[in-house]
Amino acid sequence: MDRTAIGELNEKVGSEVRVAGSVSVRRDHGKLIFFDLRDQSGTVQAVVTPKVDAHKVASEMRPEWAVRVGGVVNKRPDNMVNSEIPLGDIELEVKEIEVLGRAQELPFDTDAELNIDTHLDYLPLTLRTKKSRAIFKVQSEIAYAFRDSLKKCGFTEFQAPKIIGEDAEGGASVFEVEYFDNKANLAQSPQFYKQIMVGVFEKVFSVGSVFRAEKHKTTRHLNEYTSLDIEMGYIEDHTDVMKFTSGLMRVINEHLKETCKEEFELLGAEFPSIPEEIPYMKLREAQELIKAEFGEDGVGAPDLEPQHERMISEYAKNQFDSDFVFVTHFPTSKRPMYTYPDEEDPTYTKGFDLLFRGLEILTGSQRIHDYDQLVESMKKKGLVPEKFSFYLQAFKYGMPPHGGFGMGLERLTARFLGLDNVKEATLFPREINRIDTLLSE
Ligand code: AMO
């Protein structure tokens, strides 16, 4: 008999079926054994009476055993119906159990609230919990909607290399690796390659791991994260990219409303409010506003502190009913060499950060596309243009005006779901003292 998906068992009342899945919990009531069986489509309650041979196997069964079960789908008696859960009105009367994979005794009850360290210590197990499955289902749907929407808008996906020579982002957060007799770096972003690819396909995107040697331990930093990157040619300026970003965020949100309603409910998360055009303000305006509204004086600082990001988000929520807000025009001195300076005041850039519920989730800009201007910008940053000759070819041989953004998938997921720590929205987080297991005590 073919395997039936557990989620479809309500269409099989009165029929004999064969299902397969993992045991979530077992409850013994006198001689009756109940267990919850889950597969990727749903969870059903199964009951084993002492009349069947399977009773002996069921009495040994523990959570997380993988089993194949044959039985009959019955309506539950009225007083046993649980209307709170899907399939709460049926039950599987077990005839046969075949054990496919045994599990050892679990170190804790999988429904227990675990602290983040225990959660990380036992990821192969804790990722199976309802909460984790909900988080990573949402993450998978975000990545799907990102790809799907960009493809529909005429973008071409490409894979950027992760082992690179010179890095685009500069700064100290780069991992050096041995590369045969030479040194190489792990990419902090696909920046160079996505710009080069604009010359090839005009509009491109990539989804891939990037690496940051951030030494500090915070709730927003990872040492490896998934970067959602786009780059588009023939723009007028950075505002074209911002408008496109607003539309993309709305599409992702709509897709999550269609596919992840249950997961949002389970996690107590609310879908964000995203106006057709996300509000924006210049960094200096944002700083003045923080001073006037919240009494914090950060005017003139080159960036926003984390608490300032929260304040601006609070302001945007109250003022514009928007969970998102752009901050533009960061100082040229603090932005990477490829960022386009504003013609009206070249000490500021045509670049932006996107804040979502108090956290920066995305950075983007118009890029310098003129060869001489880019070489000049590198020199001003103290970089040696000859070291970037490979990347510079793109500009030497003609590039259109272009721009794009990079967005952290884990930060985006965390903000959609209201999770405080980005690590909760990271399948296998790399931290300063952990690569799956702790590196030192
Ligand atoms: P930036 O360095 O600002 O820009 O990174 C873009 C976005 O990536 C996420 N992010 C991180 N997430 C988790 N842990 C980290 N350590 C971390 N660092 C960054 C954030 C951030 O907004 N090349 C440019 C993008 C571009 O202009 O296209 C870049 O990488 O969500």
Side-chain angles (χ1 to χ4, degrees):
M1 196 188 294
D2 284 344
R3 179 180 174 195
T4 302
I6 289 176
E8 289 165 16
L9 286 181
N10 49 352
E11 293 159 23
K12 300 272 179 181
V13 174
S15 309
E16 199 145 316
V17 294
R18 182 177 271 250
V19 294
S22 299
V23 174
S24 288
V25 276
R26 192 184 103 203
R27 299 173 290 273
D28 296 357
H29 287 287
K31 296 228 158 104
L32 289 182
I33 298 173
F34 292 87
F35 62 94
D36 288 346
L37 189 68
R38 67 165 200 276
D39 71 5
Q40 55 164 340
S41 66
T43 299
V44 70
Q45 174 172 283
V47 55
V48 196
T49 65
K51 286 187 286 184
V52 290
D53 289 348
H55 192 268
K56 184 167 181 319
V57 185
S59 67
E60 290 167 8
M61 235 164 40
R62 275 200 284 252
E64 295 311 309
W65 279 33
V67 291
R68 189 176 287 136
V69 177
V72 176
V73 183
N74 292 328
K75 274 258 168 240
R76 285 198 208 180
D78 282 349
N79 60 343
M80 303 296 273
V81 168
N82 182 350
S83 52
E84 307 270 291
I85 52 167
L87 307 186
D89 58 343
I90 58 166
E91 146 180 294
L92 182 65
E93 185 191 332
V94 176
K95 305 274 189 210
E96 289 168 5
I97 299 177
E98 185 190 341
V99 178
L100 304 173
R102 286 181 157 72
Q104 294 189 7
E105 196 168 334
L106 305 189
F108 38 72
D109 180 357
T110 45
D111 282 339
E113 268 297 314
L114 300 173
N115 69 40
I116 184 93
D117 286 321
T118 311
H119 169 74
L120 296 180
D121 286 343
Y122 289 93
L123 279 175
L125 176 62
T126 53
L127 286 175
R128 298 180 189 180
T129 60
K130 268 191 202 158
K131 185 177 169 190
S132 285
R133 281 187 285 141
I135 294 170
F136 295 106
K137 154 100 189 284
V138 169
Q139 185 159 84
S140 144
E141 294 297 342
I142 292 174
Y144 172 85
F146 178 79
R147 282 199 164 101
D148 185 56
S149 163
L150 288 168
K151 276 183 161 267
K152 285 183 179 142
C153 292
F155 283 70
T156 304
E157 181 166 10
F158 78 102
Q159 274 69 41
K162 309 292 180 274
I163 298 177
I164 64 168
E166 287 303 314
D167 197 279
E169 311 302 336
S173 332
V174 61
F175 286 110
E176 213 179 69
V177 289
E178 279 180 23
Y179 193 71
F180 305 110
D181 293 335
N182 291 295
K183 296 278 183 209
N185 296 312
L186 293 183
Q188 293 187 76
S189 77
Q191 186 64 36
F192 287 159
Y193 304 95
K194 63 179 179 169
Q195 289 189 257
I196 292 170
M197 291 306 287
V198 164
V200 181
F201 286 131
E202 192 175 314
K203 291 194 280 188
V204 294
F205 73 97
S206 75
V207 176
S209 286
V210 294
F211 306 88
R212 302 279 169 121
E214 310 271 4
K215 281 206 170 136
H216 40 282
K217 238 185 148 181
T218 74
T219 55
R220 2 184 252 295
H221 288 100
L222 298 161
N223 296 111
E224 175 175 350
Y225 70 90
T226 305
S227 191
L228 307 176
D229 278 86
I230 75 158
E231 202 68 22
M232 52 205 274
Y234 300 97
I235 58 168
E236 289 296 323
D237 62 14
H238 62 297
T239 60
D240 280 350
V241 186
M242 288 161 63
K243 278 188 206 125
F244 185 80
T245 306
S246 294
L248 187 62
M249 288 304 167
R250 285 163 62 87
V251 171
I252 294 174
N253 197 31
E254 288 311 307
H255 179 77
L256 294 182
K257 283 183 189 168
E258 276 167 28
T259 55
C260 296
K261 223 163 174 257
E262 266 176 40
E263 285 72 16
F264 270 67
E265 251 167 52
L266 186 131
L267 297 164
E270 279 183 26
F271 291 101
S273 149
I274 317 177
E276 221 164 281
E277 232 179 88
I278 293 174
Y280 55 90
M281 60 186 83
K282 292 184 173 172
L283 174 70
R284 289 287 171 264
E285 291 164 358
Q287 288 168 331
E288 294 291 352
L289 209 144
I290 289 166
K291 192 172 166 194
E293 297 279 323
F294 299 91
E296 278 238 11
D297 191 359
V299 180
D303 208 344
L304 294 173
E305 296 294 329
Q307 73 271 23
H308 298 154
E309 292 182 349
R310 288 194 287 273
M311 289 167 184
I312 288 297
S313 285
E314 190 184 321
Y315 177 83
K317 182 73 181 165
N318 293 336
Q319 202 69 16
F320 309 110
D321 188 28
S322 177
D323 283 298
F324 289 78
V325 55
F326 282 114
V327 180
T328 69
H329 291 82
F330 289 85
T332 309
S333 59
K334 293 289 170 186
R335 289 274 148 153
M337 50 77 177
Y338 52 79
T339 316
Y340 203 96
D342 191 352
E343 295 87 345
E344 283 175 21
D345 181 354
T347 53
Y348 294 98
T349 54
K350 284 183 158 176
F352 51 86
D353 278 0
L354 180 59
L355 312 183
F356 178 14
R357 293 178 171 154
L359 180 70
E360 176 209 311
I361 53 139
L362 173 153
T363 299
S365 68
Q366 180 176 352
R367 326 295 190 185
I368 298 174
H369 66 281
D370 176 79
Y371 176 82
D372 293 328
Q373 190 183 353
L374 187 54
V375 168
E376 210 40 52
S377 172
M378 285 178 175
K379 285 184 184 158
K380 272 194 199 143
K381 299 259 175 209
L383 301 168
V384 181
E386 288 71 30
K387 287 192 175 174
F388 298 88
S389 60
F390 179 77
Y391 165 65
L392 281 169
Q393 282 185 55
F395 305 88
K396 210 182 218 174
Y397 302 123
M399 276 289 270
H402 63 282
F405 69 68
M407 168 161 64
L409 174 63
E410 297 80 359
R411 284 196 189 182
L412 180 65
T413 311
R415 289 341 287 140
F416 261 117
L417 298 176
L419 305 171
D420 292 332
N421 193 334
V422 71
K423 286 175 195 118
E424 289 181 75
T426 310
L427 275 171
F428 303 104
R430 270 66 184 116
E431 304 176 283
I432 192 161
N433 62 346
R434 179 192 292 276
I435 297 177
D436 300 329
T437 51
L438 289 178
L439 301 174
S440 58
E441 287 307 317

